[in-house]
Amino acid sequence: MPFDPTVCGEVPSSHNTFLTALLCVGTFLSYLPQHLKILNRRSSDGISPYFILLGTIGAGSNITNIVLLQFIALQCCTVQTLGVCVASLLGIVQVCIQGGMFYITFVLYMTFFPEQSKYVAAEETEETDGEARPLLGRMQRATLEWQTALWVTAAVATHAVVCILMSALLVMAVGPYAGPTRTWASLLGLFSLCLTCMQFFPQIVKTWRAGAVGALSIPMMLMQTPGGFLFAYSIAIRPGVNWSSWISTFVAATLQGVLLAICLVFDAREKRALSVDDRSAGDSQPSPAADA
């Protein structure tokens, strides 16, 4: 079906435009504490590779979903003023910012993967499994977590290629508004929903077992948990979008709230323990009068 400029009459309300623009800025800022914490610690220890896998692939699916479902907004920019075009594209920008920031988290996770967690000493025998390399005359074997992280990288790259190629093929072959293209977009939205529903469970389990916050950022979650519900609402009220585009964000906000509660408990426990240790260290030091 050829592009019909007459369908471009619907413009997002000023209220929706302001809310979406605010959320775009808020989403960008909310990820910065997580990125800065990994950079400052020089380590991504405590972050689950499955959390990264599910979150990154889910983000990629969500970006493809919103771009295909709102493809009309891209084409309408050719007949709209700059202001109206920007307002119409904010829904796509919003999802792309969230997905892009999670992709950056994935890159930081791999870049600052703890060196001590990559390899373990292995006997130089024929039964040595996994990737092995000589180091200072000894053989070292890749840990299961490092192998998983490498597999995550391959899976993320493969998923991105499939999404791009399949979407481009459908748009060129049958058009962006044809049934197969819309079905593909909705399936990606459902796929993103499923991944989002599972995304936080590996991280919740890993954090619970570790009993520590690790490289996770509590300020990020404090901003994202309430912001996630506003995020889902702002997507849901945009024209041309169905429930498959916003439901995954709503579920993510709910599960992130659970993870936030666990991290707050562990963080408070760690601070109490440090406070007790400091008081014990102060009490154990002899006073000057006693030394005299």
Side-chain angles (χ1 to χ4, degrees):
M1 183 178 68
F3 170 59
D4 182 9
T6 61
V7 302
C8 298
E10 188 175 3
V11 180
S13 66
S14 57
H15 168 72
N16 186 29
T17 300
F18 175 77
L19 176 61
T20 306
L22 187 63
L23 284 172
C24 285
V25 176
T27 299
F28 175 81
L29 295 177
S30 70
Y31 275 95
L32 292 182
Q34 180 63 78
H35 297 166
L36 291 174
K37 185 169 185 179
I38 296 176
L39 288 171
N40 290 334
R41 287 168 53 97
R42 311 292 295 180
S43 172
S44 58
D45 183 44
I47 299 179
S48 168
Y50 298 106
F51 168 73
I52 294 294
L53 170 68
L54 299 175
T56 308
I57 291 182
S61 298
N62 219 19
I63 291 174
T64 310
N65 167 273
I66 196 72
V67 169
L68 290 177
L69 289 181
Q70 288 204 305
F71 199 86
I72 184 65
L74 297 171
Q75 292 187 316
C76 284
C77 277
T78 60
V79 297
Q80 292 174 331
T81 63
L82 178 61
V84 173
C85 173
V86 171
S88 300
L89 293 180
L90 279 179
I92 297 176
V93 173
Q94 181 182 1
V95 174
C96 288
I97 289 176
Q98 184 189 41
M101 294 301 279
F102 204 98
Y103 269 96
I104 294 175
T105 304
F106 156 69
V107 173
L108 291 175
Y109 168 79
M110 292 301 300
T111 302
F112 294 102
F113 193 93
E115 289 294 330
Q116 68 275 13
S117 300
K118 288 184 177 181
Y119 296 93
V120 294
E123 294 293 335
E124 194 172 356
T125 65
E126 295 183 353
E127 295 182 357
T128 299
D129 297 326
E131 178 188 353
R133 65 174 185 177
L135 184 63
L136 299 178
R138 297 185 305 170
M139 292 296 293
Q140 291 209 339
R141 182 185 60 191
T143 63
L144 178 60
E145 189 170 7
W146 177 233
Q147 292 181 51
T148 302
L150 295 176
W151 175 80
V152 165
T153 302
V156 168
T158 301
H159 173 266
V161 170
V162 170
C163 282
I164 293 173
L165 292 182
M166 186 66 177
S167 300
L169 178 64
L170 286 171
V171 169
M172 291 186 296
V174 299
Y177 314 116
T181 306
R182 307 290 286 188
T183 300
W184 166 245
S186 294
L187 287 175
L188 286 174
L190 291 172
F191 183 53
S192 176
L193 167 62
C194 294
L195 294 183
T196 302
C197 290
M198 298 184 293
Q199 171 188 353
F200 285 93
F201 288 111
Q203 187 60 62
I204 289 172
V205 171
K206 185 177 181 66
T207 302
W208 182 266
R209 289 178 176 175
V213 177
L216 290 174
S217 171
I218 290 179
M220 178 195 70
M221 290 185 283
L222 284 172
M223 289 186 284
Q224 286 188 353
T225 300
F229 294 107
L230 285 175
F231 193 3
Y233 171 74
S234 69
I235 296 175
I237 62 178
R238 300 197 69 84
V241 174
N242 59 33
W243 63 272
S244 67
S245 295
W246 60 263
I247 190 66
S248 61
T249 306
F250 179 84
V251 173
T254 303
L255 295 178
Q256 190 173 45
V258 175
L259 179 61
L260 172 60
I262 294 174
C263 288
L264 287 173
V265 171
F266 288 158
D267 185 62
R269 187 175 66 183
E270 290 174 6
K271 290 180 178 178
R272 285 197 302 269
L274 288 174
S275 177
V276 171
D277 291 342
D278 290 341
R279 287 198 300 268
S280 299
D283 294 341
S284 63
Q285 293 179 355
S287 64
D291 292 339

